[in-house]
Amino acid sequence: MEFSVSALHELESKVENLSDTISAKLRCGKLQDLTPDLFKHKSVTKELLTAIVLQMGTLICDFKMVLRSACEKIDEQKSDLIQTKNELIKCKSVKLEAVKETVQSEMKSFSDVVKSKCVSSGLSPAKIKMAVHSAMRDEDRAKNFIIFGAEEELECEEEEMSDKDLVKDIFGIVKGGDERSIIKCERVGVKKSTDSKRPIKVTVKDAETVRDVLSKAKILKSFQSPGKPCDPLQHCITDKVMVRTVSFVQSHTFNFDGSLFQEAITLADFDNDGTNELCIGNVAGDLAVFKENHLCWGAHNLGMITCLGIGDIKNKGDNSLVVITGEGLCYIFDHDYNNELLSSEMPQEKSKKILSHSHKQRFPLNIKQLIIADVTNRGSNDLIVILDTIVRIYSWDDDAEEKLKHQDREMYNFERQIDAITVNTTRDGSQSIFVCIPSEGIRILKATRTENNQFLQWNPLAQNVKLSSPVTDAIGNVRSSVGGGDNMVCFATLDGLLKMYHGDEELWSLPLDNPIFALVKTDIDHDDTDEVIACSWDGLTFFVDHNKNSVKFKFEASVPIRAFCAGQYAMKGSNNKPALVYVTFSGDVVIFYDVQLTSLGVLTLNDYALNMKSVCDFENTPCPKHRANIIKNLLKNCRV
Amino acid sequence: MELNFYEMHFEATEPPSLEGNTETCSFSLLCMTSNGDVFCSLNDKVYHILWNRAEDDLDRRLCFTPGKDVRTHKDEIILLDALHTETGTIVAVVYYRNHGGQYTLSVFQLDVNTLKIKFKQEENLHKKPNLVRLSRDMYSSNISVFATYYSDPCVQVFQYNYNGFISKVEDIKVKERYPGLFKCMFRAPQDKRTLSREEHVGPEKRHTHEYILCIDVFIEEDLQYLAYGTVDGNVHVQVSTNKCCVWQSVYDWEGPISAVKIFKIKGLVCLIATCMVEQVVLFSDINSNNKLSNRVILPESTRFDSVTCVNIMDIDYDGDPEILIGTYGRMFIVYKLQLSDGNLVPYIVYRRLYTSPVYGICYSDITEDGIDEIVLLTFSGIHVLQRCLKSAQQYIQKLLDKSASGQVKCPLQGEHLSDNCASTPEY
């Protein structure tokens, strides 16, 4: 049906006309004429309404058509857009690959640079590996990788610890890395069936390492995602490492000029009175024995003293002083009041007496270390010396002309220079000599008895311990409470490690971070076990017990340390007390006497309070805070 | 208890950096509150010294926990004091701003458990101060901060209202509270003679300035004792009540006074004053009519150079405090006081030599095991002295036995005890 706006207007005008006529008729008051007009008006209005409705219907139809076509167009455009999008994504991923490759190559070169630098700066490759690893993991999986180091421990905790590969990776990195910087890597925490997210604890050497690792991780992270920097340091407790440090005060300084060897100083009982003296000899041939706070005995022009030792070499129950010079002379001094002459040349040192030797014998040249010990189990002491590549054992024979007798059988020639030797006796009485040879490690000589049970033989190739770094000093017969109370052997290596061995089995290794040149043992905390005392050139001294508890002491000196010795010393009429002796390059011999440590680990009263008994369930109080409060109140309110 | 100490820990200070201001010394400072919290400034950070609360028992180390936000980069802490109040610990720090060369006094409340700072108030000081001392005001809930200066013979007293938060009290009525100090603040040099004087020592000296080197406030019931020592060697004591000054007195001495301390022993109020020219004088029973005339020089206090610090503590748990002094001659000495014929007689019970001059003595249970340690500040660092634990254990066992046999009444499981336990957070 055709319908136009003009028709509509026509109808409208008709309606208007009609309504005009109706209103005019109304005004005239001719109501009877009104009815047909009204009917006419009604029909016209009806016509108009029908036309409108029809028109509306067509309009809606048209509109639907338009909509449909528009939808079709939109769909077309949409598919086009999707195609473009896919193309774009493809391009993007290709580009991303390229970016990733460049980043990885950059990282590689970076880590190479760091690695090459770390060789000089002492930074271990493992740290870098670790850092790369953490950075990669973090970015790849976009999940929480928490690193927090509590002082010297670096703990890694991941949300998804069920991933075994990751654990393996960390283990591999740590195991394959430099053992200097990462000590241990292990799973910690209680294993639960429901929870596999146990953290991995990586124990590293110090907080510096932690910080290094973390800072490297940080750098690499910013390499990978510049938009989303993540600071691993915020999870790291960057407290300074607090190794327990102590200070000792009571000291006395002797003057002793001249250069001296590390082996030419000892603390032992020379005059057989039960208290120890300090014996020291220099390369100018001066020998001095200090007793209490003064120089007591001396000798001059002996030659270049390379090593000395005090022990019952004559096997008569009295100690003798054995002095060996580089020129190949061995002097034996005995404390004998009859032989002593008052020094006339130095009137200011009136108390000093000149010693004269009781025996003098020619020895091989270049002996650098001596040990007086019963290594052959004959019940008598022997003198073990090392020269260049040879270990020789001498024994005292009163009847012979050359009283220190050497048997060819007891000489062991090694192919390389010997660094140090030490003697160890196990609980069952078997003896071994540990010979430290650079690049070969430690050779252990063990005494074995022959068939008739009279002679002992040494098997130089009995056992061997490989070490990565040359040994600077070794100490045996370290009494300990571990390993059934057996004696231990301790080595200090050139790269700053302290290694404790039980036989040929390594118990632990402790990085001391400092080049150690002297190792001594003594019982400093009166617990009947020995502590190893290690000293570095700058005066840093470490006390380490067999449980790896360590205490640090810094000897404040303006000049480096030339020689170090520790042991027991008696000052001013007291008994033997632990003492430390430092010889500086300025000719001072500083002895710290009465060095006291209650224990190497720190104890609190709670450790002691555990065995206190009381009626009021004091010993059953588990809360240390509560115990402390009880003690506080007791001390405040009660008097003995 | 037997006085036998071992060194438990030594924390060395870093050598002062060259970047620092040469005018101020970046030296460590040590102070403690009555509650036993020890604060020190090491390497320009304020530390609260306490035992490492790590759960791992084997890893016991001293942990110096830095109080955060105390100082910004390159500011040097030059003075430090702390005060324990019922609602928290108040710390006052004076630091030198390298930018601008300004000395700033910062007073804040520190939550000791979390080391969070609340309600910090800062004040710029007009000159370089040589002393800042926190004290509780006897008559109000205010806190007084005394500040004295190197080149200005006056004492500034800042008062802070403290009702859970710190706010500065605008109207400081120093004159009413501390009339002695007020005089000192505004008195012209020639007016000094008008003060009552106990006696003259040595030849007549020309007093040009009265720079105050040390202040101590001791509050007992309704009396407030204020003692201060000056660079000219005068020890001033002023005792006042809420309303008026009861008495004041001056003791004229030979050298600058490095420390004063008022304490009470066996019912007698005593004053100890240390002089930089090697002497420690104990004025006993200053509240009697004799005032400052009843005095005795501590034995051997003249032997070890200038006496730098003094503290009063009961370290042998016999109920009476001991006198602990540290000297520039590297000696740390403990005196006990014995009452004979009404006079206090000091004698030495313990001494220990150090490698460098002693500058501060504190005494606190930092291992949180119920028995106190001595914290000593020397030029080279902070030393922690621990008792011989074996003898301590024996002593406590004796106390336990006594309390068990009913000879001594001891609140082992008292109410306040459990309250204490509950109020301290569990670690």
Side-chain angles (χ1 to χ4, degrees), chain A residues 547-564:
Chain A
N547 289 328
K548 261 167 110 175
N549 291 324
S550 58
V551 173
K552 203 162 68 177
F553 166 62
K554 178 88 166 76
F555 171 62
E556 296 290 344
S558 49
V559 282
I561 313 295
R562 182 141 58 185
F564 171 75

Side-chain angles (χ1 to χ4, degrees), chain A residues 151-153 201 239-250 549 592 596-598 602-609 611-618 621 623-640, chain B residues 1 6-11 51-52 59-64 317-319 353-355 365 367-371 383 386 389-390 392-393 395-404 408-413 416-417 420-421 424 426-427:
Chain A
E151 287 167 352
E152 62 182 15
E153 280 169 359
K201 190 159 104 182
D239 264 356
K240 205 181 140 193
V241 181
M242 302 275 182
V243 179
R244 190 183 161 216
T245 321
V246 291
S247 70
F248 301 117
V249 179
Q250 286 178 305
N549 291 324
F592 285 86
Q596 290 190 36
L597 279 177
T598 40
V602 172
L603 297 173
T604 65
L605 194 64
N606 265 318
D607 306 325
Y608 277 87
N611 31 14
M612 280 197 227
K613 297 224 181 310
S614 154
V615 284
C616 57
D617 272 356
F618 180 80
T621 310
C623 168
K625 213 125 203 143
H626 200 130
R627 274 171 178 274
N629 273 329
I630 293 177
I631 291 171
K632 224 170 234 174
N633 272 284
L634 264 177
L635 290 170
K636 205 171 159 189
N637 301 316
C638 304
R639 306 276 171 263
V640 169
Chain B
M1 192 188 289
Y6 293 97
E7 183 157 298
M8 187 178 85
H9 187 89
F10 168 64
E11 185 65 36
W51 197 246
N52 195 356
D59 186 31
R60 281 182 180 154
R61 276 185 222 139
L62 204 62
C63 174
F64 288 81
Y317 298 108
D318 65 344
L353 190 69
Y354 279 87
T355 41
D365 180 19
T367 53
E368 297 180 328
D369 59 355
I371 194 156
H383 302 255
Q386 194 180 27
L389 288 172
K390 208 173 170 187
Q393 187 232 347
Y395 182 85
I396 290 163
Q397 185 62 59
K398 266 188 211 167
L399 293 181
L400 279 171
D401 293 345
K402 270 203 162 176
S403 67
V408 196
K409 215 178 137 192
C410 176
L412 275 181
Q413 305 273 327
H416 66 284
L417 195 69
N420 275 351
C421 209
T424 44
E426 289 290 329
Y427 297 101

Side-chain angles (χ1 to χ4, degrees), chain A residues 164 260 267 433 435 481-482 560 589:
Chain A
K164 281 179 185 169
L260 76 149
L267 283 170
I433 301 178
V435 184
S481 61
V482 293
V589 181

Side-chain angles (χ1 to χ4, degrees), chain B residues 241-290:
Chain B
T241 63
N242 194 1
K243 297 198 172 90
C244 62
C245 177
V246 179
W247 59 270
Q248 54 182 344
S249 182
V250 184
Y251 174 68
D252 201 342
W253 212 359
E254 288 169 28
I257 310 297
S258 54
V260 285
K261 200 95 190 173
I262 307 169
F263 62 102
K264 200 172 178 182
I265 178 168
K266 299 182 202 290
L268 309 173
V269 179
C270 302
L271 166 71
I272 196 143
T274 70
C275 181
M276 285 194 190
V277 286
E278 307 170 5
Q279 257 181 3
V280 182
V281 174
L282 172 74
F283 301 92
S284 49
D285 200 10
I286 55 171
N287 228 356
S288 68
N289 291 331
N290 294 326

